[in-house]
Amino acid sequence: MKTKCARFALSFGLASILACASDYSKLIESTERAYYNQDYNTAVPKIRGLYEDSDSKDRLLFLMEAGMIFHTKGDYATSNKVFKEAEDISENIKTSVTKSGLSFILSDNESNYTGEDFERVMIKYFIAINYLMLGDLETAKIYFRRLDFELKEMKFLAADYRQNNAARVLDAYVSENLNRFNDARVQYKNLEQLLQNNQNLAGDRFVLAQKESDSKDLAKYASGARTIQAFSRSMERQTYSPQSRLSEVIIIHEAGKSAIKESRGRLLDDQYFALALRSAIEIAIRTEGAGASVSGVLATLSTAENPIPIYKERESANATLRHYYINGVDLGTGELLNNYSDTAMQNFNENYRTLITKNVSSLALKIIAATIASEAAAKAIESQLNQKQQNDLVSALIRLAAGAVAGLATAQTISPDLRCWRTIPANFQVKRIFLEPGEYTFSVNAPNAISTAPKTLKVEEGKPLFLSFRTYQN
């Protein structure tokens, strides 16, 4: 009877440490489906319900999703209210590859979603874009300045792939329209370092030189003059000058669906991870004086998923450059200036081995914690055996079982944290042209794709027109 009780205690004790983490992709599935079907009347209450029913751990992520839904819907004021709440939360969180790498082990789907530094930048980016769409360039400039501060911090702490060049060029355009030419020049210089030998950038510098009557820069960037696209009301090419009646039209194209987190597969299928983990477990067992079998632990741990996820693209075809047409005239494509999917993938995938190194010891210690619990139960079982039943083989089998149970218990608590921003575009493309005032037709060459682009444009004299839209495959 006592032996049965000991076995029951072993099973119950281990079962009590198992975690049931929610699958975020399933949680957001119906909201995401409604959003990508452009059924915003369904998507909005669904994301609101998720937010209201959530505890603090997923609040930041739900706010980011909600802000994107309202932005794409065209409700820019509400989008900003939501994104500002997300900004308040994210401002208190400073993450890095190192810190985020420590957040994948065991029941971490139940921990707070902290986001990444490049996601904090994207929150500010969307707030700025929303203000542009609301015609408030002054406040948009404030958020571009805040965003620029984040980018300057990141420049010294992270690779260039995390830099948001779309934000930089839009900040320069806004600065020009606010007659803050020095601010524009600073951003263009930043971009010249990040986008070397870029002819579109040379054209922007030539426009700025014209506005400032800077003869030195006019000569320096003269080659960029041919890249400036300026048109009359009848869509005939014109020569741009600040004295003309031409107004700016700035196209902000949010293309495709972002890469998302997926499982890498079984933990021990990765030889590098398996060798590192075996070594760490052996050391931990010796250190803690546990008698469980390493082989037993690894045998059942082989069912566990790799706790470090992988970002994978889910839509590359519709994230490519697209041609834009005004009154049927082909304007060419925009310029891909910020690849969110690439940033997310590189952030995780290029640092995979570093994340293993930083996580394997923590994982081994958690396995040993379960091992010690099973060891105690194994000793209790041994104590119930009579002298005839006790021998080396039986003890070895009990120890093997203890290790297996510990490995199984741990395996069932290991899963990758697949939470990620699922409604954000794969990349951001920008194009600037100059048009005479008037009404025009507008279209995007994106066959078999959903587009939120307007069909008509109204260009006003002396007033820039910012055009933000989304394309993706559903």
Side-chain angles (χ1 to χ4, degrees), residues 267-268 273-281 298 301 360 363-364 367:
L267 188 158
L268 297 182
F273 208 150
L275 287 171
L277 186 57
R278 182 182 185 91
S279 176
I281 290 173
L298 290 176
L301 194 61
V360 71
L363 178 55
I367 292 171

Side-chain angles (χ1 to χ4, degrees), residues 6 10 290-291 369-383 398-399 402:
L10 171 63
T371 301
I372 291 172
S374 66
E375 178 83 0
K379 288 180 178 178
I381 294 172
E382 282 184 303
S383 68
I398 291 174
R399 300 294 174 181

Side-chain angles (χ1 to χ4, degrees), residues 87-213:
E87 182 188 28
D88 288 341
I89 295 174
S90 68
E91 283 297 325
N92 296 320
I93 301 169
K94 294 294 182 183
T95 61
S96 65
V97 172
T98 299
K99 183 178 177 183
S100 64
L102 294 174
S103 67
F104 297 118
I105 298 306
L106 300 178
S107 311
D108 217 65
N109 288 333
E110 301 307 316
S111 68
N112 287 343
Y113 181 82
T114 59
E116 291 291 330
D117 48 11
F118 58 84
E119 289 178 333
R120 290 201 307 276
V121 169
M122 291 308 303
I123 291 171
K124 289 180 174 61
Y125 174 85
F126 278 113
I127 294 174
I129 298 303
N130 285 337
Y131 276 120
L132 291 182
M133 298 305 294
L134 291 168
D136 187 350
L137 271 62
E138 288 283 357
T139 309
K141 174 64 181 174
I142 291 172
Y143 272 90
F144 278 127
R145 187 181 298 119
R146 293 181 185 177
L147 186 155
D148 189 55
F149 178 78
E150 293 277 358
L151 291 177
K152 285 177 180 176
E153 274 195 333
M154 289 167 55
K155 186 174 183 180
F156 299 104
L157 299 174
D160 284 348
Y161 67 74
R162 293 191 185 189
Q163 296 297 310
N164 190 321
N165 293 328
R168 292 192 186 282
V169 77
L170 291 172
D171 185 16
Y173 294 160
V174 169
S175 297
E176 282 186 29
N177 279 281
L178 294 175
N179 294 322
R180 299 180 189 177
F181 300 134
N182 188 60
D183 288 354
R185 190 182 304 105
V186 169
Q187 285 294 24
Y188 286 139
K189 285 182 178 178
N190 288 330
L191 288 162
E192 283 173 344
Q193 293 178 358
L194 294 164
L195 307 172
Q196 298 182 7
N197 301 318
N198 185 286
Q199 281 303 302
N200 289 330
L201 186 56
D204 290 332
R205 291 303 305 264
F206 189 77
V207 169
L208 178 61
Q210 286 182 302
K211 290 180 178 180
E212 293 191 287
S213 299

Side-chain angles (χ1 to χ4, degrees), residues 32 35-36 68 72 126 252-260 313-322 324 336 338-341 421-429 444 446 448-452 469-474:
E32 190 179 9
Y35 168 69
Y36 282 121
M68 192 69 226
T72 307
F126 278 113
I252 307 168
H253 181 185
E254 302 165 359
K257 298 177 182 177
S258 66
I260 54 175
E313 287 186 318
R314 56 174 165 167
E315 185 192 21
S316 57
N318 279 291
T320 56
L321 295 173
R322 298 290 183 179
Y324 311 127
L336 199 161
N338 181 33
N339 193 327
Y340 178 88
S341 286
W421 197 349
R422 297 180 65 95
T423 52
I424 199 168
N427 63 63
F428 299 83
Q429 303 165 24
V444 185
N448 303 317
I450 289 176
S451 172
T452 65
F469 63 90
R470 181 87 184 262
T471 61
Y472 55 85
Q473 185 72 45
N474 203 11

